[in-house]
Amino acid sequence: MIFDFIFFNQNYCYVCKDEKTENLICSSCLERLDFIDGNFLVDNNRVYYPLFYNNYIKEIIREFKFHKKTYLVKPLAAILFKYISQKEELKDIDYVSFIPMEQRALFDRGFNQAQLLANELADLLDVEVISLIEKNKKTREQNKVSLTQRKENIKNSFRPIDDCNIDGKTILLIDDLVTTGNTLREASQTILINNKVNIKFLTITSSRIGEDDD
Ligand SMILES: [Zn+2]
């Protein structure tokens, strides 16, 4: 299995690979993205996301996740970092964490896109990445399950990692995409079993009205 981790020609846009740019993303790609200040509550914690779920970001995420174009983590993390930098509610993050994948699912894909995003973003923020939970149940992909069954599908699928000793800290929990928020809810409830922490969620976009979920 070969992962497209490194996109070598740094004079070209990381997303389209067509246009030259000084940055990771060219102006044409930026124009095709719909920047918003998206957020909604999942129980007591808020999920934030900087992009409206249009076809362009949908395609970029698909390429990243399912076609192993892992170099796309660079422009995606840059978008998240810029969003956080401008957002008062997301200042003072102590740790970045991520939604884990179950071992066999991780083996099949070869990487966890949420973990890649967390690593890249933590570097930019100059904070540490922390693993707080494991996924111990192989669930069906949330987007293969009807909206009403998703809560049941993800239930009890995470297990806390013991004694992280981070009480009082603020955790930024990363996933690539949110729809119903069931995955984020289940993950945060599992984290809170062992840790008295403040959790904020960050995703690239939300397909809340769409059909894809994770
Ligand atoms: Zn481009």
Side-chain angles (χ1 to χ4, degrees), residues 14-44:
Y14 265 65
V15 179
C16 65
K17 295 184 180 177
D18 285 335
E19 303 228 2
K20 283 204 167 189
T21 174
E22 303 279 298
N23 306 307
L24 295 171
I25 313 173
C26 73
S27 52
S28 316
C29 284
L30 285 175
E31 273 174 32
R32 296 180 67 184
L33 295 168
D34 279 342
F35 287 89
I36 54 168
D37 183 9
N39 69 86
F40 62 89
L41 271 176
V42 176
D43 292 344
N44 295 320

Side-chain angles (χ1 to χ4, degrees), residues 99-165:
I99 300 293
M101 282 171 73
E102 190 270 340
Q103 279 305 320
R104 282 163 297 174
L106 184 61
F107 184 77
D108 287 345
R109 184 171 295 164
F111 62 95
N112 175 352
Q113 72 282 351
Q115 187 171 9
L116 295 186
L117 279 170
N119 289 343
E120 193 72 25
L121 186 60
D123 266 0
L124 296 170
L125 290 168
D126 199 20
V127 298
E128 281 179 46
V129 178
I130 191 167
S131 286
L132 297 168
I133 50 175
E134 294 169 334
K135 192 153 185 230
N136 56 351
K137 191 173 101 180
K138 190 160 198 234
T139 52
R140 296 168 66 201
E141 289 266 337
Q142 286 283 72
N143 63 358
K144 305 278 194 307
V145 182
S146 77
L147 282 172
T148 48
Q149 288 174 329
R150 287 179 184 188
K151 197 171 180 179
E152 203 50 47
N153 183 48
I154 200 79
K155 205 172 165 59
N156 298 323
S157 62
F158 298 110
R159 175 172 56 207
I161 294 173
D162 296 336
D163 201 11
C164 297
N165 205 9

Side-chain angles (χ1 to χ4, degrees), residues 24-204:
L24 295 171
I25 313 173
C26 73
S27 52
S28 316
C29 284
L30 285 175
E31 273 174 32
R32 296 180 67 184
L33 295 168
D34 279 342
F35 287 89
I36 54 168
D37 183 9
N39 69 86
F40 62 89
L41 271 176
V42 176
D43 292 344
N44 295 320
N45 305 311
R46 196 166 285 277
V47 49
Y48 296 90
Y49 51 95
L51 289 172
F52 178 76
Y53 192 57
N54 67 11
N55 284 334
Y56 200 49
I57 192 63
K58 190 174 178 176
E59 188 55 33
I60 293 169
I61 291 175
R62 186 179 296 142
E63 292 291 313
F64 176 40
K65 250 166 114 163
F66 301 117
H67 296 152
K68 306 195 190 303
K69 293 188 179 174
T70 39
Y71 62 81
L72 287 169
V73 70
K74 292 255 177 212
L76 292 172
I79 288 170
L80 293 178
F81 177 67
K82 189 157 190 219
Y83 176 69
I84 291 174
S85 311
Q86 295 163 345
K87 195 112 187 90
E88 199 57 42
E89 296 92 327
L90 296 175
K91 294 266 191 298
D92 305 323
I93 298 298
D94 295 304
Y95 293 99
V96 174
S97 196
F98 56 90
I99 300 293
M101 282 171 73
E102 190 270 340
Q103 279 305 320
R104 282 163 297 174
L106 184 61
F107 184 77
D108 287 345
R109 184 171 295 164
F111 62 95
N112 175 352
Q113 72 282 351
Q115 187 171 9
L116 295 186
L117 279 170
N119 289 343
E120 193 72 25
L121 186 60
D123 266 0
L124 296 170
L125 290 168
D126 199 20
V127 298
E128 281 179 46
V129 178
I130 191 167
S131 286
L132 297 168
I133 50 175
E134 294 169 334
K135 192 153 185 230
N136 56 351
K137 191 173 101 180
K138 190 160 198 234
T139 52
R140 296 168 66 201
E141 289 266 337
Q142 286 283 72
N143 63 358
K144 305 278 194 307
V145 182
S146 77
L147 282 172
T148 48
Q149 288 174 329
R150 287 179 184 188
K151 197 171 180 179
E152 203 50 47
N153 183 48
I154 200 79
K155 205 172 165 59
N156 298 323
S157 62
F158 298 110
R159 175 172 56 207
I161 294 173
D162 296 336
D163 201 11
C164 297
N165 205 9
I166 48 159
D167 285 0
K169 301 292 187 190
T170 299
I171 310 296
L172 187 64
L173 188 63
I174 309 290
D175 206 357
D176 53 328
L177 191 63
V178 59
T179 302
T180 59
N182 286 322
T183 303
L184 297 176
R185 177 184 295 109
E186 190 69 25
S188 62
Q189 284 173 355
T190 311
I191 289 171
L192 291 169
I193 293 171
N194 283 347
N195 307 286
K196 296 188 184 68
V197 289
N198 180 21
I199 298 172
K200 294 173 182 188
F201 304 121
L202 179 68
T203 65
I204 297 162

